[in-house]
Amino acid sequence: MSTTTAESVYEDDKADYAKQCRVADTTKFLKKLLPVPDRIIETVLEKLTGSHYDGKRWKDFPYGDTAVKGKALYAPFIKVANAIRSAIKEAAEATNDLHDVAEWVEYDSQMPEPSHSDAARPDCLLAHNVSKFAAKNWPTDDGQPDAKEKAGDTEEESITGVNIFTASVSNWWLQVICAVEMKRKDSQKVTDIVKQLIGHLRRILSEQLDRRFVFGLTIGPKHMTVWLHDRSGVLGTSESFDIHQDPHSFIRVIGAFSVLPAEQLGFDTQMKFYASPDNIVPTYRLNHEAALVYLTATGREKQWVITTNGNEQYLTVKALSISRARVMHGPASLVWAVVAFKDGQVTSKKILVLKQCWRPVGSKSEQEMLLKVKNAAADMTDTSGEDFVVHVQLEETITMSGKEDITGSLIRKGLQVSASKRTLDAAERYLRVNMTDDDIISIVAVTSSRPTSRIHTRLLLSTFGWPLKNFKTRREAVRGIRDAVVGHEYVYYNGLLHQDISPGNIVLAWCDEDVGTTGLGTKGCLIDFDRGKYGRRHESVLHVPAKFDAVASDVADVLKPTFLRFLETPTNIPLTLKNDAIIAGSRVTPLGNVYKYLSTVWTHVSTFAQGGQTIDFSILKWTKLFSFKLTEEERRSDSRTGTPPYTSGEILSRERYYIDPDLFHDAVHDMESFFWVLIHICLTRSGPDAQQRAELDGDNKDHQQLRFIVHCFFSCNEDDLAFNKRKLFKAPDDFEKVIIPHFHPYFDELKPFMREWFSLLVLAYDYLEGYEYHNIHRRVLDILDRALASMTLEERDSDAGRKAVIESRRDSLCKLTEIREGHKYWQVL
């Protein structure tokens, strides 16, 4: 099997940076993105001439191109940057919220010693001046000096003797407004410096959940470049500029952080940090008490008050998913459980889910797609599947000062990407597109294609629950997946394909009203349709002639050899079943291939037939044909989507497992993803409450093969995942040897059903015209329903884990709802 190597990780990073880092014309970049009025720039330059600028150079910066120590650059830069900051206050009619609470600082003299994971850190930065909260220059929310300052107490806040503002590297990332990387000499490889800077910007976006984008700078003895990181990737200045010969541009860059409003520096002004009911402030205006809470709470513990475009407010009460904030480009979805909020008070204890993400401009919204499904389902007699699909209560485009928050227009101001057809020499002092180096990661080796513009979107969902991994019993885990398949079938039959099945997109939804029917208190629910695609449904019901001779004579003549051959087959297949099967099989596969198809189907059916089951046509479960129709253009534009560990090997490799027809994402691929979700649980969990198997930790050689299998099918890079999955489907007997033996004993009851599910997938992929391919939902649901029916109601070895889940759910619901002991929902949690 193929595995990931250090070199493959290096190549993945290289490709990621290469595809997402672009440059634009320097003059246009600075004037559009950092629009400081020219009169302010002139006034600042005039004020600093003599004291900091001698008419030709900024004072104290090193001369020439001889390599200098980093600290020889730190001091002059910090001195000049803060001088510009001070001069701005006199030159500008008004400064922004950041001016009085931020300063340019040297990282090394201010930051605590980093851990190994934080070894990469910026040289200098513009940071919130939190280490001086009690000092005179730190205003309270009303602009007046802090009460401690009035009392003359200027000591830094501490907890158990540790200064919370400087003790933690993570705390510092929360305070960074702009990161700076220094070039020791101007001819140093700029790609080294910029790659390091982009890593810092990515970290800032990951830690500060209210940042929409962030700026970064590179600066050497003479030259500066400016970079912006948003959810469309990275955009930088195409050429560096000389800070000495062009002092106006230098002042423009530094002064922007004192003049521009917070939203133009990347802050989400519709998000405020909740420290207490009477202390709700933006993070760029933190007061003393709010900062204490902000810096001591983890990312998941932090609470926010989020205001919609309609001025409705919601208080976050639990972070459900914030890890995607670290992605370099893409949706960067943030998800919280929220409650309605107004004037410092919770106005309703109904739990909702609020999701903020960046979807591609031009893509259909989730609410739009699901509404289209609902309209298409109007003529259906059974719409119960809708109960297992997320319900979108509100969807809106987030606005900043009344303008839609779009990366291409509002953030990047419509800047066009620059293009260069030649490869630049690494010694050049500026950066353009297509620069490459053999010995380093090439961060800008891209074509001139435009980046994907993304629109900031907010959704309010009425579906609240717990992640699938936090199941309380085997039964609940399987039931959750089963319900999600029902939801998938419902939207698919009405023209929508999900395309991103993963554990994170299946929730165990709180369903108080469903307690009496299931005894579980939860139901599986399929969420996150932002990668879905819409097609047109086509369905036909199967009608089997009562007799073979009722088939048209020309078809009957062709089928007679198959019929006679089947008669001679030494099996216990009843004659009537052979008759009906041949006729039905002829409808979905070339006539010359009917015998092979029927033989394969019968092998599958007979292998997994239940004892005492009647052998008739119904055993085949051939009821109807359903297909998902796409135009040729839609097929050609079909993109690879999904969460790689759970994505079908066909989609990952863009190649069919067995045959040659054009590949497009269909329901069978999502059913394979559901399969991998449950396989992952069986291999990596030892019981309820996300208990990971102890065998996966450490280097115990007795469990080396288990760790190897989990790595090969879930943890390695996409190419290796595709290779390993294709190899398994090419040699299906290996499933019994490679996967099944490594199930945790807690999931032994599922082994026969997972064998059948895998065999069904093999059959469906092998015969794309067959009933199994076109009726895959019903077949998978049949397997899961039988698995549920066979399970013992009482768990035999998971009392501790199950109790932990129950207590956790009760605790969260008691805090957020009116659920209390004695309520009908209490006993089934």
Side-chain angles (χ1 to χ4, degrees):
M1 291 185 179
S2 181
T3 60
T4 303
T5 64
E7 289 77 11
S8 65
V9 172
Y10 176 90
E11 289 301 318
D12 284 347
D13 286 343
K14 179 177 178 179
D16 196 20
Y17 282 109
K19 293 176 183 177
Q20 305 305 331
C21 187
R22 296 170 172 87
V23 294
D25 178 81
T26 298
T27 301
K28 292 179 180 179
F29 183 106
L30 297 181
K31 289 195 172 183
K32 286 192 172 187
L33 302 190
L34 304 171
V36 179
D38 290 342
R39 59 178 178 76
I40 293 179
I41 296 173
E42 290 289 352
T43 301
V44 170
L45 181 59
E46 181 179 346
K47 183 174 180 59
L48 296 181
T49 298
S51 60
H52 293 81
Y53 186 70
D54 64 9
K56 294 183 178 180
R57 293 183 59 82
W58 294 100
K59 291 185 177 181
D60 300 329
F61 273 78
Y63 285 85
D65 195 41
T66 303
V68 297
K69 292 183 178 180
K71 293 189 177 182
L73 279 172
Y74 300 166
F77 169 75
I78 296 300
K79 182 179 179 180
V80 170
N82 281 322
I84 294 173
R85 175 175 157 270
S86 297
I88 282 282
K89 188 159 188 176
E90 297 182 24
E93 295 178 359
T95 54
N96 61 21
D97 290 312
L98 293 166
H99 181 272
D100 290 330
V101 298
E103 66 178 341
W104 295 92
V105 296
E106 174 194 336
Y107 185 103
D108 284 335
S109 64
Q110 300 288 328
M111 293 290 289
E113 192 64 30
S115 64
H116 175 70
S117 61
D118 282 305
R121 52 189 186 176
D123 295 323
C124 298
L125 45 86
L126 176 65
H128 291 286
N129 195 0
V130 293
S131 63
K132 298 180 180 178
F133 264 107
K136 293 181 180 180
N137 67 335
W138 191 265
T140 58
D141 198 28
D142 61 3
Q144 299 302 313
D146 189 275
K148 283 198 169 202
E149 180 238 313
K150 292 178 182 178
D153 183 357
T154 58
E155 293 182 4
E156 295 176 352
E157 187 71 33
S158 66
I159 297 177
T160 62
V162 178
N163 181 354
I164 66 168
F165 303 120
T166 57
S168 167
V169 172
S170 293
N171 283 356
W172 269 93
W173 285 111
L174 292 172
Q175 302 167 47
V176 179
I177 299 166
C178 174
V180 183
E181 276 297 300
M182 298 290 184
K183 292 177 66 180
R184 306 303 185 258
K185 59 179 182 176
D186 277 309
S187 60
Q188 183 180 356
K189 289 180 179 177
V190 72
T191 44
D192 286 326
I193 306 302
V194 175
K195 177 183 175 293
Q196 187 84 349
L197 175 67
I198 291 172
H200 303 327
L201 303 186
R202 198 171 189 170
R203 178 69 183 270
I204 296 169
L205 288 175
S206 174
E207 297 285 349
Q208 300 180 28
L209 302 185
D210 61 336
R211 294 298 291 271
R212 300 152 46 238
F213 62 90
V214 61
F215 283 107
L217 315 174
T218 71
I219 188 166
K222 291 173 59 179
H223 290 90
M224 171 180 273
T225 61
V226 186
W227 299 85
L228 176 146
H229 193 331
D230 61 13
R231 299 309 181 177
S232 288
V234 178
L235 184 68
T237 50
S238 60
E239 298 182 4
S240 62
F241 63 88
D242 190 316
I243 63 173
H244 305 292
Q245 294 180 12
D246 186 5
H248 295 83
S249 291
F250 185 45
I251 294 173
R252 176 184 297 279
V253 173
I254 302 301
F257 295 95
S258 291
V259 174
L260 299 184
E263 65 186 56
Q264 286 186 253
L265 297 176
F267 289 91
D268 186 340
T269 55
Q270 292 189 353
M271 290 180 67
K272 293 184 178 180
F273 179 67
Y274 175 92
S276 66
D278 57 355
N279 195 351
I280 303 169
V281 292
T283 59
Y284 48 85
R285 294 182 61 208
L286 288 174
N287 53 53
H288 184 272
E289 289 76 15
L292 290 176
V293 181
Y294 184 65
L295 295 181
T296 53
T298 66
R300 290 189 171 276
E301 292 170 343
K302 287 180 176 64
Q303 288 186 267
W304 304 88
V305 173
I306 298 174
T307 304
T308 68
N309 296 340
N311 211 32
E312 297 290 331
Q313 290 187 331
Y314 294 92
L315 172 67
T316 68
V317 292
K318 182 181 178 65
L320 302 179
S321 176
I322 58 174
S323 60
R324 293 184 181 180
R326 69 172 62 101
V327 301
M328 182 175 182
H329 61 95
S333 300
L334 301 173
V335 187
W336 297 273
V338 300
V339 289
F341 189 79
K342 185 178 181 181
D343 298 329
Q345 300 294 323
V346 173
T347 59
S348 170
K349 285 202 170 185
K350 180 181 180 181
I351 308 174
L352 302 171
V353 174
L354 190 146
K355 172 183 174 181
Q356 296 191 163
C357 63
W358 296 83
R359 62 182 177 85
V361 171
S363 65
K364 290 184 174 64
S365 70
E366 287 189 59
Q367 188 175 43
E368 180 184 353
M369 287 190 288
L370 291 173
L371 181 60
K372 198 169 183 179
V373 166
K374 191 176 183 70
N375 292 337
D379 60 346
M380 293 180 66
T381 57
D382 181 10
T383 59
S384 59
E386 185 180 10
D387 294 337
F388 306 108
V389 176
V390 64
H391 180 258
V392 181
Q393 185 170 311
L394 167 74
E395 182 164 8
E396 64 180 9
T397 296
I398 296 173
T399 59
M400 295 289 128
S401 297
K403 297 181 180 179
E404 293 186 335
D405 196 10
I406 302 175
T407 57
S409 56
L410 185 65
I411 295 177
R412 299 189 176 196
K413 308 300 183 186
L415 282 173
Q416 298 298 309
V417 173
S418 300
S420 172
K421 295 183 179 180
R422 67 190 183 90
T423 299
L424 301 184
D425 184 84
E428 290 192 68
R429 299 179 183 180
Y430 51 87
L431 186 64
R432 290 183 187 268
V433 173
N434 292 337
M435 177 174 179
T436 60
D437 295 281
D438 294 332
D439 59 335
I440 60 172
I441 292 179
S442 172
I443 63 172
V444 289
V446 299
T447 66
S448 59
S449 62
R450 298 174 63 182
T452 300
S453 185
R454 295 183 175 273
I455 186 167
H456 204 184
T457 305
R458 179 183 295 121
L459 297 95
L460 191 64
L461 317 172
S462 58
T463 304
F464 168 75
W466 296 273
L468 177 66
K469 67 179 182 179
N470 293 116
F471 60 89
K472 68 178 180 183
T473 62
R474 286 188 301 274
R475 186 176 179 81
E476 186 178 57
V478 175
R479 171 63 189 263
I481 292 175
R482 181 262 180 203
D483 290 346
V485 172
V486 174
H488 189 283
E489 179 185 43
Y490 165 75
V491 298
Y492 180 75
Y493 279 7
N494 289 288
L496 178 61
L497 182 64
H498 190 281
Q499 295 194 123
D500 187 19
I501 302 302
S502 68
N505 288 339
I506 303 170
V507 299
L508 301 171
W510 171 25
C511 56
D512 188 8
E513 73 281 358
D514 200 34
V515 172
T517 57
T518 68
L520 290 173
T522 61
K523 62 181 179 182
C525 192
L526 192 58
I527 65 172
D528 281 355
F529 285 82
D530 48 4
R531 293 187 178 182
K533 70 177 178 183
Y534 209 86
R536 288 158 302 284
R537 66 179 183 180
H538 177 76
E539 181 178 332
S540 61
V541 178
L542 174 62
H543 296 288
V544 180
K547 295 182 180 180
F548 182 77
D549 54 15
V551 183
S553 59
D554 56 338
V555 176
D557 290 341
V558 176
L559 289 177
K560 280 180 181 177
T562 296
F563 183 72
L564 294 174
R565 191 176 179 187
F566 233 52
L567 288 176
E568 297 171 358
T569 302
T571 69
N572 62 340
I573 307 176
L575 180 60
T576 55
L577 175 56
K578 292 181 179 181
N579 177 83
D580 294 344
I582 292 172
I583 297 170
S586 68
R587 295 192 59 193
V588 297
T589 193
L591 297 180
N593 206 29
V594 172
Y595 178 78
K596 182 181 177 183
Y597 171 57
L598 293 178
S599 297
T600 306
V601 170
W602 181 251
T603 299
H604 171 79
V605 170
S606 59
T607 299
F608 300 104
Q610 306 300 302
Q613 191 171 3
T614 302
I615 305 297
D616 58 20
F617 188 74
S618 65
I619 197 174
L620 298 178
K621 299 180 177 62
W622 288 352
T623 55
K624 60 184 177 181
L625 293 172
F626 180 87
S627 58
F628 193 74
K629 298 293 186 181
L630 294 174
T631 65
E632 286 302 315
E633 182 180 355
E634 287 170 330
R635 288 198 183 208
R636 285 194 300 271
S637 64
D638 195 38
S639 59
R640 182 172 71 178
T641 63
T643 303
Y646 311 100
T647 301
S648 164
E650 283 200 345
I651 300 302
L652 288 173
S653 65
R654 307 300 294 165
E655 184 180 356
R656 296 280 188 189
Y657 285 139
Y658 304 121
I659 51 182
D660 295 331
D662 292 340
L663 173 69
F664 69 97
H665 203 134
D666 207 346
V668 69
H669 301 108
D670 281 2
M671 292 305 106
E672 184 185 339
S673 293
F674 278 114
F675 169 81
W676 288 117
V677 167
L678 189 48
I679 287 291
H680 185 259
I681 290 174
C682 293
L683 291 176
T684 64
R685 305 300 173 193
S686 59
D689 195 28
Q691 296 177 25
Q692 180 169 294
R693 295 178 68 168
E695 303 97 305
L696 292 175
D697 296 325
D699 299 319
N700 190 321
K701 291 186 178 181
D702 293 339
H703 306 293
Q704 188 173 1
Q705 191 172 11
L706 168 66
R707 293 192 294 272
F708 179 71
I709 294 301
V710 171
H711 173 78
C712 287
F713 287 97
F714 298 99
S715 303
C716 55
N717 65 41
E718 289 187 27
D719 289 341
D720 292 338
L721 286 172
F723 178 88
N724 296 331
K725 290 179 179 180
R726 289 185 60 79
K727 186 173 182 181
L728 185 66
F729 274 88
K730 289 284 189 179
D733 289 345
D734 286 349
F735 180 72
E736 187 67 32
K737 306 171 188 175
V738 172
I739 304 294
I740 288 292
H742 297 292
F743 274 35
H744 188 275
Y746 180 73
F747 298 102
D748 278 348
E749 287 184 317
L750 293 177
K751 285 182 176 179
F753 302 101
M754 299 311 292
R755 292 186 183 102
E756 184 176 358
W757 194 344
F758 181 70
S759 177
L760 172 65
L761 290 171
V762 171
L763 175 57
Y765 281 126
D766 203 11
Y767 295 92
L768 302 184
E769 308 91 350
Y771 293 98
E772 291 72 24
Y773 182 95
H774 292 286
N775 203 21
I776 190 70
H777 293 93
R778 288 290 100 192
R779 299 303 302 273
V780 169
L781 288 171
D782 175 67
I783 293 171
L784 293 174
D785 284 339
R786 284 188 280 109
L788 286 167
S790 71
M791 284 183 175
T792 54
L793 293 179
E794 297 296 326
E795 300 292 336
R796 61 174 180 250
D797 55 5
S798 60
D799 287 344
R802 186 168 70 253
K803 289 177 180 177
V805 174
I806 293 171
E807 289 305 315
S808 174
R809 292 181 185 179
R810 285 177 174 172
D811 181 62
S812 63
L813 289 175
C814 279
K815 290 179 180 178
L816 307 176
T817 72
E818 300 299 332
I819 299 295
R820 296 291 184 273
E821 189 168 2
H823 190 283
K824 65 176 182 176
Y825 193 68
W826 183 266
Q827 295 303 320
V828 295
L829 274 170

